[in-house]
Amino acid sequence: MGLPKSFIARLESLYWDVAPTILSVFASERVGSFRVNHIFYKGWGISEEIAHEFREKGIPVLPFDEAKGIYTYDKQYEYAIKWTQAFYTGKIYLQGISSMLPVFLLDPQPWERVLDVCAAPGSKTTLMSDLMHNSGSIRAIEQNSIRMEKLRFNARLQGAENIECIKMDALKFLSTDDSLYDRILLDAPCSAEGRISLANEKSYGFWSLENITRKSELQYQLLSLSIAHLRPWWTCVYSTCTLAPEENERVISRILDENRNLSLVDIAANESFDSRIDWIHGVRSFAWSRYHPDIRRTVRIIPNMYAEWFFIAQIQKSLTWSV
């Protein structure tokens, strides 16, 4: 079984110049990555305790961003890493670099009130807790019982005590909650095209245009309701791991068209955006649809040896309607 022809056609229409590169990445394996949990370890870089254990077990790692505590490794060592004390005690957390980017862009600070709309299994939630020095508060929403248990387990394992886990459908929570938040993260449910692996038919066997359409409407509802809970002058980061413009630029464009007090932060201008991450601006049009002119302030992460596919938009809310 190969990739659906309609998927390849869409990919080539979006990225006629880099489509072969993206398809080759789908057939290859990226390096693995993990982050040091600074709730337990306050230092810069990797702790000597962790470094010693990795040396003893013959696990080589390379620094990707020592200031942020991010390291990479060859995937052949992933099984060995999962048997280390550092992994079992929550001192490190295996997480894709692309998955970390929305949190670093959101940049939650200590003592702030943060909402994580679709939180499980807690990778981004616990990273936020780390950046907030385990202070302030994070409300993490998840409906599924099994995924909620994973979220709670990861929070406990990493010592993240500022996370309040709420088991509820996100749409229902957003429709009934009367709170305002300083920062909101919406890593939305999506068609997950960025996680396609040609070695695993299950990663693309479910793909369909109907699924993209359903996800797009859900994402729009989630983002529209989330924005209502954002304090003026604060930010919401929206992200997906899919290529589909209907789930990315179209969702953001609809929100901007309907809410003139919202604007996009130019992500590419962020000084912390790593040069080893390949990216392009958000697409301005697709399939006869033209998107909001500011959509180029969003970013599409192009998969390479370090990163998987991601779309990220950073939305800022103003107090009054713009003219």
Side-chain angles (χ1 to χ4, degrees):
M1 180 180 178
L3 289 172
K5 291 181 179 180
S6 52
F7 171 79
I8 295 176
R10 283 165 58 90
L11 177 63
E12 290 175 341
S13 68
L14 276 168
Y15 308 111
W16 59 269
D17 53 342
V18 294
T21 301
I22 295 175
L23 289 171
S24 69
V25 171
F26 287 152
S28 61
E29 190 168 48
R30 288 177 290 274
V31 297
S33 55
F34 68 84
R35 56 178 171 82
V36 175
N37 180 7
H38 296 101
I39 292 176
F40 290 152
Y41 173 66
K42 307 296 183 183
W44 180 81
I46 198 167
S47 73
E48 180 54 37
E49 174 191 359
I50 297 172
H52 176 75
E53 181 179 17
F54 277 41
R55 285 195 301 267
E56 287 287 303
K57 296 186 175 181
I59 304 173
V61 298
L62 294 172
F64 181 84
D65 188 332
E66 286 190 294
K68 291 185 173 71
I70 304 172
Y71 293 80
T72 62
Y73 58 88
D74 191 295
K75 279 293 187 70
Q76 66 176 305
Y77 295 101
E78 184 157 304
Y79 183 78
I81 290 176
K82 289 182 177 180
W83 279 93
T84 62
Q85 283 298 307
F87 176 80
Y88 268 108
T89 57
K91 293 179 180 177
I92 64 170
Y93 187 87
L94 273 58
Q95 185 174 1
I97 291 171
S98 291
S99 173
M100 303 181 203
L101 291 177
V103 177
F104 287 127
L105 289 168
L106 185 66
D107 194 26
Q109 299 297 309
W111 309 114
E112 290 180 346
R113 190 172 192 181
V114 178
L115 176 64
D116 190 349
V117 179
C118 301
S123 303
K124 297 177 182 66
T125 325
T126 52
L127 176 55
M128 287 194 289
S129 179
D130 185 331
L131 296 180
M132 295 168 69
H133 307 309
N134 213 4
S135 64
S137 66
I138 302 171
R139 277 188 160 180
I141 315 303
E142 175 56 46
Q143 178 183 20
N144 182 273
S145 297
I146 295 176
R147 289 174 59 81
M148 173 56 78
E149 286 308 307
K150 291 181 179 178
L151 170 62
R152 287 171 173 157
F153 173 82
N154 283 323
R156 288 194 301 268
L157 182 66
Q158 294 180 67
E161 298 176 349
N162 63 339
I163 299 174
E164 177 189 1
C165 298
I166 300 176
K167 185 180 180 299
M168 186 183 294
D169 174 76
L171 290 175
K172 181 178 180 180
F173 173 83
L174 292 168
S175 298
T176 56
D177 182 40
D178 58 1
S179 303
L180 294 177
Y181 300 89
D182 302 314
R183 301 179 200 260
I184 297 175
L185 177 66
L186 173 54
D187 185 53
C190 68
S191 57
E193 293 175 332
R195 295 182 181 175
I196 286 176
S197 169
L198 294 181
N200 180 10
E201 291 184 3
K202 291 182 179 180
S203 69
Y204 56 86
F206 63 88
W207 185 89
S208 70
L209 292 175
E210 290 78 11
N211 184 40
I212 288 173
T213 300
R214 287 194 300 270
K215 288 294 194 299
S216 176
E217 186 57 33
L218 173 61
Q219 293 151 354
Y220 166 76
Q221 293 178 38
L222 287 169
L223 184 55
S224 183
L225 289 170
S226 295
I227 290 298
H229 293 277
L230 184 64
R231 294 185 190 279
W233 310 120
W234 295 87
T235 58
C236 169
V237 167
Y238 173 90
S239 62
T240 75
C241 61
T242 194
L243 290 71
E246 297 93 332
E247 301 180 61
N248 297 325
E249 289 88 350
R250 182 173 183 267
V251 172
I252 299 301
S253 190
R254 288 181 68 184
I255 292 294
L256 293 178
D257 287 340
E258 295 172 4
N259 299 273
R260 294 177 59 197
N261 61 332
L262 301 180
S263 60
L264 293 179
V265 177
D266 190 354
I267 294 176
N270 192 302
E271 294 180 359
S272 65
F273 212 68
D274 196 280
S275 60
R276 289 164 292 181
I277 302 297
D278 295 333
W279 60 272
I280 62 172
H281 296 287
V283 298
R284 302 176 69 177
S285 63
F286 180 73
W288 309 107
S289 295
R290 290 193 63 82
Y291 302 126
H292 193 282
D294 290 343
I295 206 68
R296 285 179 62 81
R297 294 184 176 185
T298 64
V299 162
R300 285 174 164 257
I301 307 299
I302 303 297
N304 64 10
M305 67 176 294
Y306 294 110
E308 67 183 23
W309 185 272
F310 248 75
F311 171 86
I312 312 174
Q314 188 171 4
I315 303 167
Q316 187 170 46
K317 187 177 190 179
S318 63
L319 184 61
T320 58
W321 293 78
S322 59
V323 179

